[in-house]
Amino acid sequence: MKETKGIIFDIKRFAIHDGPGIRTTIFFKGCPLKCWWCANPEGQKTDPEKIISPFQLEENDECVKDIIGEEISSQQVIDEILKDRVFYEESSGGVTFSGGEPLMQPEFLHSLLELSKQESIHTILDTSGYAPQAILEKIVDSVDLFLYDIKLLGNEEHMKYTGVSTELILQNLSFLVEREQNIIIRIPIIPGITDTSENLALIGSYLSELKSISRVDILPYNEMSKAKYTRLEKPYELNNIVPPIDERMNEIKEKLEQFGLQVKIGG
Amino acid sequence: MNERVKKLREQSINAKPSLSLERALLLTDFYQSGVIEKVSIPIARALAFKYLLENKEICINDGELIVGERGPEPAATPTYPEICTHSMKDLEILDTRSKISFSVDEETRQLTQEKIIPYWKGRSIRDQIFEKMDKGWIEAYDAGVFTEFMEQRAPGHTVAGRQIFQKGFLDYKKEIVEALNSLDFDKDPEAHSKREQLKAMEIAADAIMILAERYSKKAIELAKNEEDSKRKQELEKIAEICSYVPKNAPRTVWETLQHYWFIHLGVITELNTWDSFNPGRLDQNLYPFFKKDLEEGIISLEEIKELLQCFWIKFNNQPAPPKVGVTAEESNTYTDFCLINLGGVKEDGSDAVNDLSYLILDVIEEMRILQPSSMVQISKKSPDAILKRALKIVRTGFGQPSIFNTDAIIQELLGQGKSIIDARNGGASGCVETGAFGKESYILSGYFNLTKVLEITLYNGKDPRTGNIIGLETGVPSQFNTFDELFESFRLQLNYFIDIKIKGNNIIERLWANLLPSPFMSLLIDDCIENGKDYNDGGARYNTTYIQGVGLGTITDSLSSLKYNIFDNKITSMQELLESMEKNFEENQELWVKLIRETPKYGNDDDYTDELMNRVFNEFYTSVNGRPNTKGGCHRINLLPTTAHVYFGSVIKATPDGRKEFQPLSEGVSPVQGMDIKGPTAVIKSASKIDHLKTGGTLLNQKFTPQFLADDDGISKLLYLIKSYFRLDGHHIQFNVVSADTLRKAQKNPELYRNLIVRVAGYSDYFINLGENLQNEIIERTEHMSM
Ligand code: SF4
């Protein structure tokens, strides 16, 4: 396998909400979308960028900036992944490629998937689905499970809140379904945006037509990433939104279950 | 929990520990009676034990089913003047200190001054130990290079094996007679001393039966005046049981628990055998009785549970004897370290988990009391169900049970030369210490301050806190050209202090063997009777002396800092670093930030530091392991601190890793507090890079917030973590499950958090009882809450 390089902004070990078992999650830098609620805004820009250090913020007033994002070789990443092999084996876990959007760095992703498969490590691709189909075609066989985001089905709304249209995303999902891939759909529940009864009904009926969707995860909006926007000196658009309470999440779960889907709250 | 148990539990929790002079006064009377001048020391000790049990107050608490208190009432805690004679100042400290205090009334003070001190001063073994130690030992001890367990506590540290549940004391007496009859006075030069030991054991056996008989009489008496007919029946039953056990081998669950409890009282009355004497593999030892009782229908499952709960309360009623000085600092707790073992494997190697294991876990969860402590042994054959059940209790946040790796324990014991059967019947006791239950004396001799040795190395033999030269002059550090030169100096220094410690141990062991034998304990541990030898003198089948290394994380990070910042990357010079340390980094904030943030730290699965840890570990192991003790056994290492990491930190100035002066050290094999930033899998990987199987126990502490474990998914993830660690031969892991916020609140408003129990280091304690430093440290420990 050819040695490739890519840009990532984090490697998180003991990731336990990114698929089954204990996993290591690799966060790719760069994303074609700009979702208002993005929990990893530092993953949107492709190149390394400056971020205000949390350490200095508390220590004194002067703000020190760290660089977020680094170029790294696929071999370096795989070495890091392999460190937790024993945990993957005990827990039926593995590696999750997330971001940002991993499909934005196809060569790098491909190489990492291949290396992981060579080591018999379970692979997950966490994706927005926004990429040319040819790229998906190339990697599809070395992904064991897709975590596939569906946010809004109304194209206009989708444009407004993510910056891109739904077309490519839905086409790619059909493609994966045709190829009988193992897929978990993830829906971020952003009050007043993605949880409207209209949107949920559209998503529900759309998904119910697709075979090979093993589960739908609904992810409640949270404010944990707010501080990151400040540190990146980016505006945060969702200031007035309150995270959904448990009852609301259960309501949504029941609503989607009416479409014959298996639904789980949280990832 | 029924009304009875609820009431007893409340009573136990609310009992304020006080100092009781009952034992000290009886003992002094006995020693002054003139009897001891006419008999050998073992016999004198046995007669003293008998005198205590013949004359001590008998206490049966209202409603209890298992009877027997060490003192005149719950939490009335005796002193052991033959071991440590408290001074008037000690009493004042015990009475007034804010943590782990014991109330001392006026009469106690007066009697101490008039009767106890005049007789025992200079006679106590503590006084004799300090008198016999040479200058090098005293200097190292004062500097905090090591502590000495035996200066205030008797060599205990053993656990009951199955045999004591299968025998009565009449059986022991028969064995003694046989042993006496087979003594060969013509050929065996030790026959005479063996006879004295055996006679002493015989007296001790009589003594415990006398105590039980007295309880039986007391129960009859109470029954006579009891108006409640149900209680009257219970008291009659108690009387019947106490006249049957421990004289005879028990036949039912109730008898077995009472049988054990008398034995326990015997052990903790004879001497203050810190620590940990306990029924060992309780679910194994009790199971035959449990099964039989249920099959015969003589008792219901609910009643067995109630008996177990009553049994639990008896432990909690006995605070660990009061300690003073360094010993109080290294082991600052009311807990006496009785660590009940559940699970593991049977003698034939098959899985040992049974119905009773689960029932006992229910008891632990409901009782939520400090003592006894509990643990679950997980072998590769254990069902996941038992670990999940245990973790659900861990989740409730009172620090129990801790989790141990049976397969590692067995390999450790086999590596030490124990038989496979003895290894499988073994377990862990105290905090994490591996032992062959019922067959081994495996005493801890003292904590050893690895980081202090590095500090002394960096000052070329001088203790910078006091300015005294106490170590070897191994070279001026700024003149070391390579890291290896520095490490070699550390190695020499380490060996120098280990030699001092071991030399001291050998003297102290002899003092105990000669002056304070323990004939009662000798009955309980194989093969003291067969060998005609006292437990304190090598009578047991196996005899191990441990030295417990402390601060592995701190010394590793310090070495990593020296290597990384001075030798490998020239970020600073030895001189600059030492000067900054001298000033507690106050004038060199910039360097301090580099030390904390940019220097490789242990606990992050980084070979750069982890290899250094391994190097320290191996040097420590090599310097101690296999060195003979005076009991036919040898010295070995383990890695646990109890609370010594706080004390040891308090004698060390700032360290090269950026730790500020007098702050606590890391504990066990855990990383330095807050420096493990790559999550629990990285900690586990780092910690498993040392060879746990060469030790007699290591301690790894991880803290999780309750949120992490709130759902079954969290429990499963924790289970996988544990199983991975155990697959890598990890010995033990324990969890603090609390939020830092809760702890901060508890620190501010202790009165509102009286029930908050946290796991410190090998044991659980009430958070409000901990010193402020330790409280802060627990708060700071990285929270592995997955976000
Ligand atoms: S697709 Fe994901 S990473 Fe990209 S902007 Fe949206 S939320 Fe952020």
Side-chain angles (χ1 to χ4, degrees):
Chain A
M1 182 93 239
K2 184 166 110 268
E3 168 86 2
T4 57
K5 288 191 170 192
I7 298 180
I8 61 166
F9 66 90
D10 199 8
I11 294 181
K12 187 172 178 212
R13 294 168 69 172
F14 195 59
I16 55 171
H17 299 298
D18 298 332
I22 294 174
R23 316 193 69 84
T24 295
T25 299
I26 313 298
F27 291 90
F28 284 58
K29 201 155 160 41
C31 183
L33 280 67
K34 281 188 185 35
C35 308
W36 287 23
W37 50 83
C38 181
N40 297 319
E42 73 274 39
Q44 292 178 353
K45 246 194 188 171
T46 316
D47 296 323
E49 60 189 307
K50 283 187 181 157
I51 184 165
I52 297 171
S53 160
F55 189 76
Q56 267 348 82
L57 263 184
E58 289 160 6
E59 288 285 307
N60 54 38
D61 297 330
E62 209 181 312
C63 64
V64 169
K65 296 198 177 171
D66 293 334
I67 299 290
I68 186 138
E70 62 167 331
E71 196 183 54
I72 189 166
S73 73
S74 48
Q75 190 56 47
Q76 277 171 295
V77 177
I78 202 76
D79 287 346
E80 203 59 28
I81 292 170
L82 290 176
K83 282 185 173 175
D84 277 354
R85 180 199 285 280
V86 64
F87 302 95
Y88 312 148
E89 289 178 2
E90 287 295 326
S91 69
S92 305
V95 62
T96 298
F97 299 105
S98 180
E101 174 53 66
L103 293 171
M104 284 261 288
Q105 301 183 54
E107 289 297 310
F108 185 49
L109 176 66
H110 186 196
S111 146
L112 284 173
L113 283 165
E114 294 286 306
L115 287 168
S116 303
K117 287 322 315 167
Q118 275 168 25
E119 296 285 350
S120 303
I121 286 173
H122 181 267
T123 57
I124 292 182
L125 181 64
D126 178 10
T127 180
S128 68
Y130 193 87
Q133 205 181 86
I135 292 177
L136 267 182
E137 263 169 46
K138 203 168 154 201
I139 53 105
V140 69
D141 290 331
S142 43
V143 176
D144 292 314
L145 171 64
F146 286 86
L147 300 180
Y148 205 98
D149 281 11
I150 294 291
K151 293 145 178 145
L152 289 156
L153 281 195
N155 199 27
E156 231 167 82
E157 303 246 274
H158 200 275
M159 288 290 292
K160 174 176 173 197
Y161 289 109
T162 73
V164 303
S165 89
T166 54
E167 205 186 335
L168 195 51
I169 296 172
L170 299 181
Q171 273 173 14
N172 280 335
L173 183 56
S174 307
F175 164 75
L176 292 179
V177 169
E178 264 163 42
R179 296 284 296 256
E180 295 183 341
Q181 293 300 307
N182 198 0
I183 305 165
I184 290 177
I185 298 292
R186 300 186 133 194
I187 311 173
I189 301 300
I190 317 298
I193 301 179
T194 64
D195 74 339
T196 61
S197 44
E198 202 192 340
N199 189 44
L200 291 174
L202 279 172
I203 293 183
S205 72
Y206 172 71
L207 293 180
S208 65
E209 300 292 305
L210 305 176
K211 350 176 256 326
S212 96
I213 303 285
S214 59
R215 205 175 71 201
V216 176
D217 291 349
I218 48 175
L219 313 175
Y221 164 75
N222 68 60
E223 294 167 305
M224 265 170 350
S225 59
K226 219 169 172 173
K228 277 198 235 166
Y229 282 82
T230 319
R231 292 171 49 208
L232 286 162
E233 295 165 277
K234 271 192 186 191
Y236 191 62
E237 312 271 6
L238 300 183
N239 275 317
N240 298 322
I241 288 188
V242 182
I245 54 171
D246 291 355
E247 283 95 272
R248 176 66 187 140
M249 290 306 290
N250 278 321
E251 240 176 73
I252 297 171
K253 176 172 188 259
E254 278 162 28
K255 196 171 256 176
L256 290 170
E257 278 168 348
Q258 285 166 9
F259 293 93
L261 300 165
Q262 202 206 320
V263 184
K264 190 180 162 212
I265 301 173
Chain B
M1 194 184 305
N2 64 26
E3 280 310 310
R4 177 210 309 275
V5 177
K6 223 181 257 172
K7 204 174 125 243
L8 289 168
R9 181 177 177 275
E10 274 302 300
Q11 198 179 51
S12 181
I13 289 174
N14 293 327
K16 164 97 184 80
S18 64
L19 211 85
S20 160
L21 272 194
E22 181 190 51
R23 183 185 181 282
L25 288 169
L26 286 172
L27 192 79
T28 311
D29 283 348
F30 176 77
Y31 269 73
Q32 288 179 327
S33 68
V35 175
I36 59 159
E37 278 126 53
K38 300 179 202 115
V39 295
S40 65
I41 286 179
I43 290 191
R45 286 303 299 170
L47 289 172
F49 178 64
K50 187 160 161 243
Y51 185 79
L52 290 172
L53 298 189
E54 280 169 345
N55 293 291
K56 77 172 296 301
E57 187 124 355
I58 299 297
C59 167
I60 295 181
N61 297 303
D62 214 16
E64 66 182 4
L65 298 174
I66 306 294
V67 299
E69 291 292 337
R70 176 181 49 187
E73 60 181 18
T77 314
T79 62
Y80 304 75
E82 74 270 48
I83 300 170
C84 162
T85 312
H86 293 124
S87 66
M88 295 310 287
K89 198 174 147 222
D90 289 341
L91 294 189
E92 188 56 34
I93 292 171
L94 289 172
D95 187 36
T96 55
R97 69 186 176 197
S98 58
K99 311 284 170 187
I100 320 299
S101 65
F102 291 82
S103 67
V104 184
D105 62 22
E106 200 37 53
E107 195 192 349
T108 302
R109 285 172 210 251
Q110 205 181 335
L111 287 167
T112 301
Q113 186 145 37
E114 285 165 12
K115 289 204 70 175
I116 311 296
I117 295 176
Y119 181 78
W120 291 105
K121 199 161 185 334
R123 282 194 171 96
S124 76
I125 202 153
R126 184 174 198 227
D127 291 342
Q128 302 200 43
I129 285 172
F130 284 119
E131 196 193 293
K132 297 252 164 25
M133 292 299 109
D134 62 19
K135 185 163 159 278
W137 191 96
I138 295 284
E139 280 175 350
Y141 176 85
D142 286 343
V145 176
F146 49 71
T147 66
E148 177 49 58
F149 266 55
M150 251 54 74
E151 61 101 6
Q152 254 174 83
R153 291 173 284 183
H157 219 296
T158 191
V159 172
R162 190 182 314 148
Q163 72 271 24
I164 70 157
F165 297 89
Q166 296 166 339
K167 284 184 204 170
F169 281 78
L170 290 177
D171 300 315
Y172 283 118
K173 285 188 70 172
K174 263 190 226 141
E175 287 176 24
I176 292 169
V177 171
E178 277 164 32
L180 280 168
N181 287 341
S182 63
L183 287 178
D184 185 344
F185 286 86
D186 295 330
K187 296 205 186 88
D188 182 357
E190 287 180 30
H192 176 72
S193 78
K194 285 180 182 170
R195 192 186 66 170
E196 293 302 298
Q197 300 290 0
L198 288 166
K199 287 265 175 211
M201 293 182 212
E202 200 174 19
I203 296 166
D206 285 332
I208 201 71
M209 293 190 281
I210 290 168
L211 179 74
E213 206 48 63
R214 292 181 67 212
Y215 268 97
S216 176
K217 286 216 181 82
K218 177 82 176 184
I220 290 173
E221 220 174 89
L222 290 173
K224 269 190 203 132
N225 302 324
E226 180 61 58
E227 278 163 16
D228 181 300
S229 67
K230 187 167 167 268
R231 181 62 183 160
K232 195 184 185 78
Q233 267 179 14
E234 279 171 10
L235 285 163
E236 283 163 0
K237 180 77 184 167
I238 289 169
E240 189 193 314
I241 290 173
C242 294
S243 72
Y244 193 80
V245 292
K247 200 185 292 170
N248 304 288
R251 299 162 298 188
T252 64
V253 169
W254 196 344
E255 283 180 2
T256 308
L257 294 176
Q258 184 63 61
H259 175 79
Y260 173 78
W261 189 247
F262 279 126
I263 291 174
H264 190 89
L265 286 180
V267 169
I268 63 175
T269 303
E270 181 177 48
L271 286 170
N272 67 349
T273 45
W274 73 275
D275 42 31
S276 78
F277 191 82
N278 76 74
R281 306 276 298 275
L282 188 60
D283 55 349
Q284 293 307 292
N285 296 335
L286 199 56
Y287 190 69
F289 306 99
F290 170 82
K291 200 163 156 249
K292 187 165 147 278
D293 279 10
L294 287 178
E295 273 168 10
E296 290 175 3
I298 64 165
I299 191 167
S300 70
L301 208 57
E302 268 313 301
E303 286 167 317
I304 292 180
K305 191 167 165 193
E306 184 185 32
L307 282 169
L308 282 164
Q309 291 175 322
C310 288
F311 184 62
W312 244 242
I313 285 160
K314 298 314 295 186
F315 285 90
N316 203 53
N317 280 356
Q318 326 297 325
K323 298 158 196 128
V324 293
V326 167
T327 299
E329 298 203 41
E330 75 174 10
S331 191
N332 201 9
T333 172
Y334 288 128
T335 181
D336 217 356
F337 296 89
C338 305
L339 184 66
I340 305 244
N341 280 227
L342 301 174
V345 296
K346 292 187 205 161
E347 206 166 271
D348 63 5
S350 62
D351 174 35
V353 172
N354 59 39
D355 298 348
L356 189 52
S357 320
Y358 291 97
L359 183 71
I360 295 173
L361 285 171
D362 291 345
V363 169
I364 292 165
E365 185 170 37
E366 280 184 32
M367 295 308 283
R368 284 183 78 85
I369 44 181
L370 197 57
Q371 299 198 81
S373 197
S374 56
M375 65 90 121
V376 178
Q377 284 192 30
I378 300 297
S379 83
K380 53 181 184 278
K381 293 171 187 161
S382 306
D384 281 353
I386 189 85
L387 182 49
K388 278 200 175 147
R389 178 73 190 90
L391 290 175
K392 283 186 179 159
I393 303 176
V394 165
R395 166 166 77 188
T396 67
F398 90 116
Q400 289 191 32
S402 50
I403 317 290
F404 284 77
N405 182 357
T406 305
D407 304 305
I409 287 173
I410 291 174
Q411 289 187 73
E412 288 159 21
L413 288 167
L414 289 175
Q416 298 175 353
K418 276 126 187 162
S419 77
I420 183 79
I421 301 284
D422 289 348
R424 286 174 177 156
N425 283 328
S429 61
C431 291
V432 298
E433 301 86 290
T434 299
F437 291 179
K439 323 275 173 194
E440 184 177 16
S441 156
Y442 48 114
I443 60 167
L444 301 189
S445 70
Y447 297 106
F448 190 87
N449 196 343
L450 293 163
T451 316
K452 185 79 194 173
V453 175
L454 178 64
E455 185 184 45
I456 293 167
T457 310
L458 291 176
Y459 286 85
N460 193 16
K462 187 172 83 179
D463 176 3
R465 191 174 61 98
T466 58
N468 299 335
I469 305 284
I470 62 166
L472 296 177
E473 292 188 20
T474 48
V476 178
S478 54
Q479 285 164 13
F480 294 140
N481 293 316
T482 61
F483 177 76
D484 287 346
E485 275 177 48
L486 170 73
F487 195 85
E488 175 60 13
S489 302
F490 165 74
R491 194 186 69 80
L492 292 172
Q493 209 75 253
L494 175 71
N495 280 282
Y496 172 74
F497 286 112
I498 290 290
D499 287 350
I500 292 179
K501 176 64 181 157
I502 289 180
K503 191 168 89 182
N505 280 356
N506 290 339
I507 297 170
I508 294 167
E509 258 172 35
R510 281 302 89 202
L511 284 173
W512 278 95
N514 295 331
L515 301 177
L516 288 178
S518 53
F520 183 69
M521 178 73 104
S522 305
L523 287 164
L524 309 173
I525 302 300
D526 292 347
D527 306 310
C528 295
I529 297 178
E530 211 180 306
N531 292 335
K533 234 178 182 186
D534 190 82
Y535 175 82
N536 288 351
D537 190 22
R541 184 172 304 169
Y542 308 108
N543 293 278
T544 307
T545 307
Y546 280 109
I547 298 178
Q548 311 95 254
V550 176
L552 191 64
T554 307
I555 188 176
T556 300
D557 284 0
S558 296
L559 287 168
S560 168
S561 173
L562 291 163
K563 184 170 189 299
Y564 184 87
N565 293 310
I566 298 174
F567 297 101
D568 289 358
N569 295 297
K570 315 245 180 306
I571 288 165
T572 180
S573 66
M574 183 69 85
Q575 185 134 6
E576 187 194 359
L577 181 60
L578 289 177
E579 275 168 18
S580 313
M581 282 158 53
E582 195 81 52
K583 298 189 181 119
N584 203 23
F585 302 111
E586 264 149 31
E587 285 163 30
N588 201 342
Q589 189 75 10
E590 204 181 321
L591 178 63
W592 183 77
V593 169
K594 281 194 184 130
L595 299 181
I596 294 289
R597 288 190 73 195
E598 290 164 25
T599 305
K601 304 281 184 183
Y602 165 65
N604 297 295
D605 196 8
D606 175 350
D607 284 337
Y608 188 89
T609 43
D610 297 350
E611 271 164 22
L612 291 170
M613 173 196 60
N614 227 338
R615 234 168 130 178
V616 174
F617 170 82
N618 282 318
E619 287 308 337
F620 180 49
Y621 172 80
T622 313
S623 66
V624 174
N625 194 65
R627 306 263 307 259
N629 62 19
T630 70
K631 301 191 290 195
C634 69
H635 284 84
R636 300 188 187 282
I637 62 162
N638 41 31
L639 296 161
L640 64 116
T642 315
T643 57
H645 61 300
V646 177
Y647 162 61
F648 278 169
S650 76
V651 297
I652 303 180
K653 301 193 68 170
T655 39
D657 60 335
R659 172 190 148 280
K660 299 274 176 84
E661 61 182 11
F662 314 135
Q663 294 303 302
L665 306 178
S666 62
E667 50 163 15
V669 295
S670 314
V672 171
Q673 295 78 355
M675 293 302 144
D676 47 331
I677 54 173
K678 293 238 168 121
T681 60
V683 173
I684 281 173
K685 284 288 302 296
S686 280
S688 59
K689 286 179 198 173
I690 55 164
D691 188 350
H692 293 251
L693 305 180
K694 281 161 133 179
T695 74
T698 60
L699 178 146
L700 180 62
N701 198 345
Q702 288 277 279
K703 191 166 118 186
F704 283 89
T705 52
Q707 297 93 313
F708 175 77
L709 293 169
D711 57 4
D712 287 351
D713 199 41
I715 295 270
S716 297
K717 299 285 155 71
L718 199 54
L719 177 131
Y720 300 138
L721 268 186
I722 295 167
K723 291 179 75 171
S724 306
Y725 186 46
F726 287 0
R727 190 169 136 190
L728 298 170
D729 289 337
H731 173 88
H732 150 277
I733 189 163
Q734 70 187 24
F735 302 96
N736 260 323
V737 186
V738 287
S739 73
D741 256 345
T742 310
L743 296 176
R744 267 185 223 108
K745 282 184 204 145
Q747 208 176 20
K748 276 200 197 118
N749 303 304
E751 64 284 1
L752 298 178
Y753 292 87
R754 281 174 41 199
N755 60 350
L756 187 63
I757 300 180
V758 292
R759 194 129 193 123
V760 183
Y763 72 95
S764 302
D765 209 337
Y766 288 104
F767 183 74
I768 61 162
N769 280 339
L770 305 174
E772 202 190 344
N773 275 355
L774 195 56
Q775 286 184 342
N776 286 338
E777 184 216 313
I778 290 177
I779 292 172
E780 272 168 36
R781 190 182 304 287
T782 319
E783 288 175 33
H784 292 292
M785 190 186 169
S786 195
M787 287 192 256

